[in-house]
């Protein structure tokens, strides 16, 4: 991708913490795992912080639910609609189908309704008032929008749950199934806040007893979230489930709920390793999230929905 003239000082300014309501779009492979529905719900139920403009369905495959990214994208699209209904948020924002395939090359965008929407929507924003793009899935929709319209790099902040901490391998689900898209995002120069899996959002661990205590018998959304966690594991005694994706939302909720650093953007190699070149552009990287504060806030919002039958 041809580099843009955005300076590190401008990039750092865009990565600074912002108070108030953030205009946001979410890119999510909602049906791939149980953590996405928690993140989607949390985002939709936090209007004091997020004005959700659109939700994009991301492709996924390479797991027991599907081996076809097109099928995974459609499953995610339908799951987004399900979660919106359970949250009482039908029609609150646009929902767009994303790519049916992964990025085939670093200069080859995959056109989809999601990518085209982001490439157009972001033009209404600026470096002083950016659109926040939260990514919790494979990166093709976001990378394609960057390739279709490179100018949006000066108008958006990407918050992407992608690889592990830079002391570990980037070989995580959101990266290894869609390597070229990950390389585009890290190489693009876009203001990027990387949210690692190990050993950051891996701390977002809960259990069936905790969920039943905090969310049990509250409403249909809570019942559904508990049920999908229960279905994920056969034995629930002394067993925990990581809700990775909720950390990408939680780190934007309150300045004190995460610790971040500024560092140079690493390179994702074709061999799925991090390579460091300390002359590259700067990005943000989350080093720690406050597990208890994020879950407490999310559970209170989920549990306070109108009770069934009222």
């Amino acid at each position: 991708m041809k580099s843009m003239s955005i300076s590190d000082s401008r990039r750092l300014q865009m990565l600074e913490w912002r108070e108030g309501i953030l205009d946001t779009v979410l890119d999510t492979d909602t049906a791939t795992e149980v953590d996405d529905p928690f993140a989607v719900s949390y985002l939709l139920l936090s209007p004091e912080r997020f004005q959700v403009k659109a939700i994009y369905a991301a492709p996924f495959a390479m797991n027991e639910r599907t081996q076809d990214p097109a099928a995974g994208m459609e499953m995610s699209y339908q799951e987004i609609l399900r979660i919106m209904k359970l949250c009482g948020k039908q029609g609150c924002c646009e929902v767009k189908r994303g790519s049916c395939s992964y990025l085939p090359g670093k200069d080859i965008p995959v056109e989809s309704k999601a990518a085209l929407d982001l490439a157009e929507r972001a033009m209404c924003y600026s470096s002083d008032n950016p659109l926040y793009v939260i990514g919790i899935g494979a990166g093709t929709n976001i990378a394609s929008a960057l390739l279709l319209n490179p100018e949006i790099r000066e108008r958006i902040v990407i918050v992407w749950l992608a690889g592990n901490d830079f002391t570990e391998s980037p070989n995580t689900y959101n990266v290894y199934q869609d390597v070229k898209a990950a390389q585009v995002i890290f190489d693009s120069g876009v203001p990027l806040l990387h949210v690692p899996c190990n050993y950051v959002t891996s701390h977002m661990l809960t259990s069936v007893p905790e969920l039943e205590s905090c969310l049990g018998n509250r409403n249909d959304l809570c019942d559904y979230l508990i049920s999908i966690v229960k279905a994920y594991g056969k034995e629930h005694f002394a067993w925990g489930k990581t809700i990775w994706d909720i950390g990408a939302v939680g780190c934007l909720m309150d300045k004190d709920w995460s610790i971040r650093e500024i560092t140079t953007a690493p390179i994702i190699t074709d061999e799925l390793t991090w390579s460091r070149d300390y002359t590259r552009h700067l990005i943000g990287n989350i080093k720690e999230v406050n597990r208890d504060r994020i879950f407490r806030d999310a559970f209170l919002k989920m549990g306070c929905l109108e009770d069934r039958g009222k």
Side-chain angles (χ1 to χ4, degrees), residues 27 54-57 73 77 94-100 110-121 141 144-145 148:
D27 189 64
I55 303 179
Y56 306 138
M73 184 280 295
Y77 178 81
E94 296 189 56
V95 182
K96 300 289 186 181
R97 288 180 170 89
S99 170
C100 290
V110 181
E111 289 195 12
S112 66
K113 291 182 179 180
L116 291 168
D117 182 83
L118 178 55
E120 179 181 356
R121 183 181 300 276
N141 292 338
S144 294
L148 288 166

Side-chain angles (χ1 to χ4, degrees), residues 270-283:
D270 292 337
E271 293 74 31
L272 289 176
T273 61
W274 297 119
S275 177
R276 301 310 299 263
D277 175 355
Y278 292 99
T279 66
R280 276 164 60 87
H281 61 277
L282 299 176
I283 65 168

